[in-house]
Amino acid sequence: MLVQEIFQSIQGESTYAGLPCTFIRLTGCNLRCHWCDTQYAYDGGERLKTADIVTRVADYPHRLIEITGGEPLLQIETPELCQRLLDQGYTVLVETNGTLDIGLLPAGVIRIMDVKCPGSGYECATLWDNIPRLTANDQIKFVVADQNDFNYAMNVVLRYQLDKICPVLISPVIGMQNLPQLAQWILQSHVPLRLQLQMHKILGIK
Ligand code: SF4
C-alpha cells in the first residue's frame, strides 16, 4: 500500500471525537476539493505491506484507528488492512469521500462517509448508491463552507432521512464558515445534526 503517514493524535471528528487515536493516512485522492487541507497526501508516501502497517500501528498504545487519506478506497488492499486490524481487536474507522463503493469494506468497520457539498466543487461526485449501504454503525459527514452548502446538506439529509439511519456530522471549513452562524443554522433546522469543531486542528496535532 502507499502510505503517506502513520501518527497519533486526538480524534477530532465523528462521535469518537476526543479519544486518542492512531491515524493511517493513505496516499492519493480522486478529488481536488477547493478547500482541501491535505493536499500533501495526493502523492508521495511509502510502500508498505498490510502486515507492516499493522506492526507500525502496534507501536502506539491506542485501540482506536482511523484510516484516512486522500481517499482510502482507491487502494485495493484497504479492505484487507481493515480486516487485519479488526482481527487484532482494534476499533477501525474509515474516512471516505463517498465517491467509491463503501460496500467493499468488511463488516465491523465504522464508515465515516462524506457527502460533498457544492463549495467543494464535487457535489456531482457523490455515489448515491452508497446511501442504502449505510447502517446505524456508520456516520455521514457534510463539510460546510457557506450557507449554500448548509442548505444543500439539509436537502440531502431530509431527502434520504439520513438522521434516521446514522449520526449526521456537520463540519465547518476552517477560515470560511463562521462557527456560531453554523451552530444557529443547526439549531434552527430542528434536526439532530452533530456539530464538529475539528478538535485536532484546534489542538494543532495534524
Ligand atoms: S476528498 Fe478529502 S483528501 Fe480528497 S481532495 Fe477532497 S478534502 Fe482533499
Side-chain angles (χ1 to χ4, degrees), residues 14-16 110-113 134-142 157 162-170 192-194 196:
S14 82
T15 60
Y16 291 84
I110 296 155
R111 302 169 297 190
I112 303 171
M113 190 186 104
L134 291 166
T135 72
N137 199 39
D138 300 314
Q139 306 188 18
I140 196 153
K141 183 174 95 172
F142 297 85
V157 169
L162 295 178
D163 58 309
K164 309 284 193 299
I165 301 173
C166 62
V168 180
L169 318 169
I170 302 283
L193 309 173
R194 184 183 288 256
Q196 304 191 124

Side-chain angles (χ1 to χ4, degrees), residues 13 35 95-97 112-118 120 123 126 128 131 134 139-146 148-163 166-173 177 182 186 191 193-196 198:
E13 301 185 299
W35 37 254
E95 173 112 18
T96 171
N97 64 25
I112 303 171
M113 190 186 104
D114 274 22
V115 172
K116 291 297 178 187
C117 294
S120 71
E123 80 272 24
T126 297
W128 297 107
I131 300 291
L134 291 166
Q139 306 188 18
I140 196 153
K141 183 174 95 172
F142 297 85
V143 181
V144 169
D146 54 26
N148 187 47
D149 277 2
F150 184 78
N151 292 342
Y152 178 87
M154 284 307 305
N155 282 334
V156 173
V157 169
L158 296 175
R159 187 186 320 145
Y160 294 100
Q161 299 202 316
L162 295 178
D163 58 309
C166 62
V168 180
L169 318 169
I170 302 283
S171 281
V173 178
Q177 174 58 55
L182 182 56
I186 290 173
V191 177
L193 309 173
R194 184 183 288 256
L195 177 61
Q196 304 191 124
Q198 296 185 296

Side-chain angles (χ1 to χ4, degrees), residues 37-97:
D37 59 359
T38 47
Q39 297 179 10
Y40 65 92
Y42 292 165
D43 44 40
E46 181 182 7
R47 290 210 173 274
L48 292 171
K49 294 189 168 78
T50 54
D52 298 329
I53 298 171
V54 174
T55 300
R56 293 243 191 134
V57 159
D59 288 343
Y60 298 102
H62 320 304
R63 302 306 298 169
L64 179 64
I65 295 183
E66 176 170 311
I67 302 173
T68 186
E71 172 46 51
L73 288 173
L74 281 179
Q75 302 201 31
I76 57 172
E77 302 96 335
T78 296
E80 177 196 324
L81 174 61
C82 290
Q83 191 60 60
R84 281 179 180 267
L85 293 167
L86 289 169
D87 290 346
Q88 298 275 325
Y90 291 105
T91 299
V92 180
L93 315 177
V94 173
E95 173 112 18
T96 171
N97 64 25

